[in-house]
Amino acid sequence: MSALTSAVRTPEEAAKVFRTLDFIALGAFFMILLASHHVHVMLLMGDWDFWVDWKDRRFWVTVVPIVSVAYPAAAQAFFWEKFRLPFGATLVTLGVLAGEWANRYFNFVGFTYFPINFVWPTILLPMALFLDAMLAISKSYGLTAVVGGLMYGLLMYPANWPLLSAFHVPAEYNGVVMSLADIMGYQYVRTGTPEYIRMVEKGTLKTFGKDVVPVSAFFSGFVAMVMYFVWHFVGRWFSKDYHINQL
Amino acid sequence: MAATSRAVAQGVAEKETADLFAWRGMWLAVAAFFAFYICVRWYEGVYGWKYGLDAFSPEFQTYWMNLLYIELVVEALATAALVSYLIKTRDRNMEAMTPREELRRYCTLYMWWVVYGVGLFWGASFFTEQDGAWHQTVVRDTDFTPSHIIEFYMSYPIYVMVGLGSFTYAKTRIPYFAKGWSVPYLMLVFGPFMIFPNVGLNEWGHTFWFMEELFVAPLHWGFVFFAWFILAVFGVFLQVQPRMKELIGRELQQSEDYARS
């Protein structure tokens, strides 16, 4: 029709419509990205995230930041580049945490009766906030990849330690030294993941024992830099507006 | 009053009284999703434990296998009905559309995305990770466990239905999408759709490679690959922005003119 007629009648209405659509879009983005991110996270790092006796010093520390930095990087490529909104990483992280908590509480606890302090999810928010702040302050994806990516790996264990430490108190259990986390894994029976499935640090003859966490975290940060770099481009690619004429 | 005279001055004469935002439809759909899935979760909580533990018992047939057959038929019919309804009632004369009507349809499209998001949350997030909890509770004796009957064969087809519905809505009512095919929108709908056929790979793998339910097992990574395509919501959103700006933005621009004069 006439290109001259406007769809809204007043500037006030224009502002109101824009604002209303912002809220609807935010809701849509939150739910849609929540689901997508949750599938990614649960099937690439889920087992370490489900159980407190999987939250070890070597595998959990390495895998979780590497896997969970992907969506924040993709979301930042969209929200910051296109709209200068500095909450891409936080938005998707809040989403996945909401999905995880809903599931742990209503299913792991409410359906199959595992205690919540056995199945709480990994704390990811401090890293997401750091990533967003890094990008907003530096305005550089390169710096965010290097500094933010490294910090994403380094921060994971410290951010979770206040919650996790209580489960690492040692106990003598039937004559064996076990952590409380180990005892919980032993007590609350899981049929699907018997003990030999559990991928946790066991020590080797070619490694030192005591500084496993910082070394793993540093390695994780290094890989997270690369992941950030790659997934930033993934986010950009998914932001393209291709059209085809024929299916 | 000032607002009215300004509008008249711009020649906005069309008498359109309908609301831009179909709030009722959106909230009803969201509420229906939550109410329905809360009931499903209750059913599962009661009958999963009561009759869902032994797939070879007659009760399992009654309470679970029948649910599977019914839901598959209902979903297929509902999807066909929804898509054909939207095609049948398509706008056959888009040229005659007023800008306000076009804007209204974009507002409705945004609401479709919210409902799609709610469907995806229940399907891809809630019931998918829930399966993890059930796997730790039974050593399964069938591919069709109570949790799978809900997760794979109920919650996935339902979000696929909403995705297809939103796509068909855009294709049949919004000029921008009516012309050609939007690749991001195809990815946004058919990526999650492919998660459903991928169940075939998953269950096939489980038939001869009996493994404990390690969630991070490579056999499950097909789901992850297809879930990535949901990120195409970025592209879809950016595709509609220029037109939204044309439809609404001009007024804001005029607002500044007003301030200057």
Side-chain angles (χ1 to χ4, degrees), chain B residues 43-76:
Chain B
Y43 184 90
E44 207 180 11
V46 174
Y47 295 104
W49 286 106
K50 221 168 169 184
Y51 303 126
L53 295 175
D54 177 5
F56 295 94
S57 66
E59 290 83 5
F60 194 92
Q61 291 297 318
T62 312
Y63 285 83
W64 288 104
M65 292 313 283
N66 284 341
L67 176 64
L68 174 71
Y69 306 137
I70 294 167
E71 72 192 11
L72 285 175
V73 173
V74 170
E75 286 150 8

Side-chain angles (χ1 to χ4, degrees), chain A residues 36 38 103-104 106 192 196 244, chain B residues 41 125 129 181 212 216 227:
Chain A
S36 180
H38 198 176
N103 177 68
R104 303 300 159 82
F106 292 111
Y196 60 87
I244 49 173
Chain B
R41 173 64 187 77
S125 169
E129 206 181 92
W181 299 85
E212 291 81 4
V216 299

